[in-house]
Every structure is written in C-alpha cells, then in structure tokens.
Amino acid sequence: MIWYPYEQMKTMKDPYRIIDAEGVYLYTEDKKLIDSISSWWSVIHGYRHPKITKAIKDQADKFSHVMLGGLTHDSVIRLADKLKDFLPGDLDYCFFSDSGSVAVEVALKMALQYYVNQNKFERTKILSLTHSYHGDTFKTMEAGDDEDYHFILKAYGVSPNVVHVDTTIEALEEAFDKYHNELNCFIVEPLLQGAGGMRMYDISFLKRARELCDKYDVLLIFDEVATGFGRTGYRFVSDVVLPDIIVLGKALTGGHIGHAATVAGKKVYDGFYSDDPDHALMHGPTFMGNALACSAALASIEAFEEGNYMDRIAHIAELTRETMEGFTAPGIKDVRMMGGCVCIEVEDSSLLKGYQEFAYERGVFARPFLNYLYAMVPYVISDDELLKVLNTMKEWFEEK
Ligand SMILES: *Cc1c(COP(=O)(O)O)cnc(C)c1O
C-alpha cells in the first residue's frame, strides 16, 4: 500500500498511472499528457533526456554508489568542480545531500554552527519570510511559514527561534533593527516563493537584505531549490545578489534522480576550517554524493549550458506574457508571471476543483493547489505545446 503525499488517503482520487515519459510528455495507458509542472518543477530538460540517461547508465556500469565517508569518486569531484565554476562568486564549497529539505537543514545547521564556532551562542534565531516554504522536515517546517502544509506544528506552537517578516523593505529593516544580534541567518526563496503560492517580489528587497546582513554580520541563505537553474528568468537569483549559502535541489539532476547541494561561500567554509574537531560540520547523509545522481547532475548542467537555456526561458516568459497578460475572469484574484512560471490565483479554491480532470481530457497534466493554478513547464517545450498549456488554463475559466 502506497501512502501518497499531501493527501487524505480515504478520499483521494486515483493518481494517473504513468507507463512511459519522454520530452515534455507523460504517457498513461490511453493518454499523452504535457507535464505543465515538470514533476514538481524539476524536469527542466524533459523526461528521459538522452544525455542524462546515458550518464546514469554509464555510471551504473561502473558503480552506482559509494559512501563519501572516507571515500570519494570522479563523478562527485567533477560535479563539485563544475558547480564551483557554474555558481557565482565564491560559492565553491559543496555539501551534497539527498533532498532539498535536507539540504536546507544543512544550510540552517551551518549558519547556527558558524556562530557557535566563534563562541557566539546568542545567535539562535532564524529570520525568514511569511508564506515561505523550505521543505517538510522539522527545522524547515519551522523556518517555513505555511500552515496549509505544516499545521501539525500547531501541536507545539510557534518556534521561538524563527522570526517571519513580510517582503517589504520596511518590515525587513524593522526586523533587523529589533533582532540583529540574535540572528544567525536570513533564509529566503529569492524572488519567487513557490509552494507558499507562487508569490513574487522585487530584487530591491534582496539587495537591501544583503546590505543589512553585511551590516549586522548575519548570514544570507538563498533557498534556490525551486528558483535555481533559470526558473525566475535569472540563471540563479544569486547571480544578481550573492548569498553566503545557496541551496540547490529539484532541477539539479534535471529531475532524473533525487539529489541536492548546500553550497557555501569562503567566509562560511572558513568558519569551520580549523584544528579543532568540534568545529567540523557533523552531518553526513548516507547517500550524499551518490554516483548516479552526480553523473546525472553533471550531464544536466552541461545540457543547460549547451542548450541556450536562458534564451529559451526568455522566450517562454515572452510567449507566456503575450498569452496571459490582462487575462481575467470572474473569481480570478491575480495573474502573475516571472520567467518560466505563471500563476493564476483565484478568490476561492473551490473554483479550481475539477481542473485536473479538465486538463487531463485536453492532454495536459496539472496539479493546482489551494488557490493557485500554475504552470512551470520543462524548458524544452515547443510554442504550440506551451500555448496548449496556457490556453487550457484560460479555457477553464472561459467555459465556466
Ligand atoms: C521543494 C522545495 C524544498 C524541499 O525539497 P525536497 O527535495 O522536496 O525535500 C525546499 N525548498 C524549496 C524552495 C522548495 O521548493
């Protein structure tokens, strides 16, 4: 018996059974569906990408996994070297893990220990955004601010170690003014808050955050698990505002195998680098640096570089804007777009009930949540396929 995610098992409808997948398409026994959400935003090159699939097969012919405790291997070394070049600034020090949530946990642990290693024990608090989502493990739930996912936290109340702030510069300044000497980090999903409702905000907020973090010696963490690899229209938001730690996941392997990375800058790394064994980072997921995953990630980054992806994403953004700008219908609260993401927010979630089946009949897989109907397509999508995704969204409201 499979226990499915985010579902009341008693009332959930049967999931679609996928028997094959290639490019932007998922295949069921009787349908061919464009995946409009890239399997939780990860499959940026589409399914069964030849280069990534080959890399996984070639690695499997050697070995699939060895632990990183006391051992290392070519694929993880090459991936770390690649990320060093590919990521901006001095984000050079890669700690690998098996999922985005764990990679965020590692970032938060790094931030806390960074100060503990300096005997600053008072910096116990995390600053994060309202409506943020950073994963489903416990510390990431606390850092997050999304009751719709994490209402279980009500059982023990709000964490005294997390302060949430709105995405206005005024609120940010106020929070730093009040808490700065208790904060170890400010963690954000930069520009685009995904699971909290595809909320978008301005880069000026992050520029001010960088200034305040510098002023008060607080680490800035960008959780780019969702935004990394082009989703906002920037390669990484970190290209524009450099954080102290970046977290990558989802699209890291092109969505072919689960893996994630917490990549620190030199200042953070140096905060652990010493003769004192107590200053070491005490973390080590069993499958960190998995050889299949590292091979997939390397091939994925190469495909990203070779495929003019930033141009593709700009084109997707432009066609999306042409098609969706100004669209409205009764019950629609907002239509917003950024890079390879578009979201229709409705007044009442009941308005989206039945959309998944409606889209399925038209050959599109979608998964609206709460009040949000959105698309985050694979970047290899054609114009016709993208228009089909967007027009299906519009037709749902027009045919109501
Ligand atoms: C999906 C997501 C995570 C969690 O990643 P998992 O691999 O699902 O654990 C963390 N942060 C953000 C911003 C995400 O979108």
Side-chain angles (χ1 to χ4, degrees), residues 6 40-41 98-102 104 133-136 189 192 194-195 223-227 249-250 260:
Y6 303 125
W40 271 331
W41 331 337
D98 28 29
S99 76
S101 299
V102 174
V104 173
Y133 176 90
H134 293 292
D136 290 342
E189 293 159 89
L192 173 62
D223 176 353
E224 295 224 45
V225 171
T227 55
K250 292 199 164 92

Side-chain angles (χ1 to χ4, degrees), residues 129-130 165-172 189 193 200-202 205:
L129 299 178
T130 49
V165 69
D166 286 338
T167 51
T168 67
I169 290 181
E170 200 184 10
L172 186 67
E189 293 159 89
Q193 297 183 276
M200 299 160 189
Y201 61 90
D202 196 75
F205 178 85

Side-chain angles (χ1 to χ4, degrees), residues 178-193:
K178 188 160 170 202
Y179 295 108
H180 60 89
N181 52 0
E182 296 169 72
L183 298 176
N184 60 63
C185 71
F186 179 32
I187 181 166
V188 297
E189 293 159 89
L191 296 188
L192 173 62
Q193 297 183 276

